[in-house]
């Protein structure tokens, strides 16, 4: 909720003024269950869309502050780390995760897409994987996108920190610690090491290649087969298609290049379109009332 975002932004300000780095940590599990839907639900139900969009934009801003702050940011993770908290982890310079960490983007279950920079980040990482591949060609783009798409659209939660690396929630450089009581010590060491080596924040990515309309159409074809086979509902199809639009960079030609701001704004626009759909509102209300997802 707003209180956590306020605290995170204040911590970043304080750390930039007088500290070597910032470690985000919980004294016990969970790391976080993500955005507090109960605080957002009244604005959604009363149609105060400007308020909802401002909240989403602030969430995105907080993620980007973690990425581009003047000091190294490290997430010390154990237990459940879902939704918005997973997006924060993905935007930190480094994560130190206990082996028993359960990380995932679960927003599709309530009829939304990851709106705190998570969908954008998967699009960027898919493009990076292409650039680092053996050919760096457009033909190599889609396998990375498809894997990311399935992870987000199926609300997949990693069953361990190692699986979180395989699914793309954690980076290769992130550290997996076997004993959960060691994560804070290791995380502080990581932050100090980055600070001592002359840390400078990364530059925002530009020239990000995207799959565009061709990629969206290919993913849509996959979804049609799943819907007709009864594996997903009609609204699961709509939610997944919104995710595909962001991952593929929107209504542009295949091979077009975009910047991070384009993807962030596309993510927010698709999030808002889903939030205004009565079927998403029904999913949110059902989840808040029962703690279980609604398959409508």
């Amino acid at each position: 909720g707003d209180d956590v975002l306020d605290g995170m932004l204040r911590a970043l300000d304080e750390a930039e003024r007088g500290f070597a780095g910032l470690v985000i940590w919980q004294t016990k599990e969970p790391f976080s269950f993500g955005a507090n839907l109960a605080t957002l639900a009244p604005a959604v139900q009363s149609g105060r869309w400007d308020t909802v969009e401002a909240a989403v934009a602030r969430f995105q801003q907080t993620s980007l502050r973690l990425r581009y702050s003047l000091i190294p940011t490290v997430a010390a993770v154990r237990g459940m780390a879902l939704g918005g908290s997973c997006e924060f982890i993905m935007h930190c310079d480094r994560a130190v995760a206990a082996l028993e960490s359960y990380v995932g983007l679960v927003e599709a279950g309530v009829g939304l897409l990851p709106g705190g920079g998570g969908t954008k980040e998967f699009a960027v990482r898919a493009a990076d994987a292409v650039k680092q591949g053996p050919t760096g060609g457009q033909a190599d783009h889609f396998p990375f996108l498809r894997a990311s798409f399935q992870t987000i659209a199926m609300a997949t939660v990693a069953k361990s920190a190692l699986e979180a690396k395989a699914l793309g929630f954690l980076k290769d450089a992130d550290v997996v610690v076997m004993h959960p009581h060691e994560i804070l010590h290791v995380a502080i060491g990581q932050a100090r090491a980055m600070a001592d080596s002359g840390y400078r924040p990364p530059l925002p990515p530009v020239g990000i290649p995207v799959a565009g309309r061709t990629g969206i159409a290919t993913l849509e074809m996959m979804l049609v087969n799943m819907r007709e086979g009864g594996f997903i509902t009609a609204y699961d199809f709509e939610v997944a298609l919104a995710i595909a639009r962001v991952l593929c960079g929107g209504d542009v030609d295949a091979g077009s290049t975009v910047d991070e701001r384009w993807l962030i704004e596309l993510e927010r626009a698709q999030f808002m379109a889903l939030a205004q759909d009565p079927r998403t509102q029904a999913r949110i209300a059902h989840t808040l009332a029962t703690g279980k997802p609604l398959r409508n």
Side-chain angles (χ1 to χ4, degrees):
D2 283 339
D3 53 345
V4 173
L5 296 183
D6 289 343
M8 192 76 73
L9 292 169
R10 183 180 169 192
L12 283 160
D13 290 340
E14 293 283 342
E16 286 180 342
R17 275 197 293 266
F19 291 84
L22 175 68
V23 174
I24 304 169
W25 180 64
Q26 286 274 47
T27 54
K28 59 181 180 179
E29 299 178 16
F31 181 75
S32 169
F33 289 125
N36 187 350
L37 282 177
T39 63
L40 195 63
V44 170
Q45 290 163 359
S46 59
R48 300 199 310 266
W49 301 118
D50 288 349
T51 301
V52 176
E53 185 163 7
V56 176
R58 194 152 181 266
F59 215 115
Q60 292 178 322
Q61 174 204 1
T62 306
S63 291
L64 294 177
R65 278 291 312 277
L66 287 168
R67 170 65 50 82
Y68 301 118
S69 64
L70 300 177
I71 41 86
T73 55
V74 180
V77 185
R78 61 186 287 192
M80 303 292 278
L82 306 178
S85 66
C86 174
E87 292 173 292
F88 282 170
I89 293 165
M90 293 176 74
H91 283 82
C92 285
D93 294 302
R94 189 67 44 83
V96 175
L99 180 63
E100 293 183 0
S101 297
Y102 310 100
V103 185
L105 296 171
V106 296
E107 288 85 349
V110 289
L112 295 168
L113 55 75
T119 316
K120 174 274 302 179
E121 186 63 15
F122 265 110
V124 172
R125 292 185 184 189
D128 286 343
V130 173
K131 291 175 184 176
Q132 294 164 13
T135 64
Q138 180 62 30
D140 296 325
H141 202 166
F142 194 73
F144 298 104
L145 271 182
R146 182 172 57 196
S148 300
F149 172 71
Q150 289 173 331
T151 298
I152 300 172
M154 302 302 288
T156 305
V157 176
K159 299 177 182 66
S160 71
L162 295 176
E163 188 178 4
K165 279 195 174 189
L167 291 171
F169 297 123
L170 299 181
K171 302 183 289 290
D172 288 341
D174 292 334
V175 180
V176 178
V177 176
M178 295 302 158
H179 198 299
H181 292 155
E182 293 177 354
I183 60 169
L184 181 59
H185 172 75
V186 175
I188 291 172
Q190 291 283 320
R192 289 198 183 280
M194 284 188 280
D196 291 345
S197 61
Y199 175 82
R200 292 292 182 273
L203 294 172
V206 295
I208 304 163
V210 293
R213 287 183 289 270
T214 304
I216 297 169
T218 307
L219 292 174
E220 185 175 6
M221 184 173 61
M222 279 175 43
L223 290 170
V224 168
N225 290 335
M226 293 177 72
R227 183 187 63 193
E228 298 307 311
F231 295 104
I232 60 174
T233 68
Y235 195 51
D236 288 335
F237 175 90
E238 297 291 340
V239 173
L241 194 55
I243 293 167
R245 292 188 190 107
V246 181
L247 284 175
C248 295
D251 187 16
V252 297
D253 292 336
S256 297
T257 57
V258 301
D259 60 15
E260 186 174 53
R261 182 176 176 180
W262 172 273
L263 291 171
I264 277 285
E265 291 178 352
L266 181 60
E267 178 186 89
R268 188 164 69 248
Q270 291 297 318
F271 182 99
M272 291 304 301
L274 290 173
Q276 293 175 53
D277 193 296
R279 293 167 292 183
T280 286
Q281 294 165 26
R283 286 191 178 193
I284 292 172
H286 185 270
T287 300
L288 288 173
T290 67
K292 297 178 182 178
L294 172 66
R295 297 299 304 279
N296 57 351

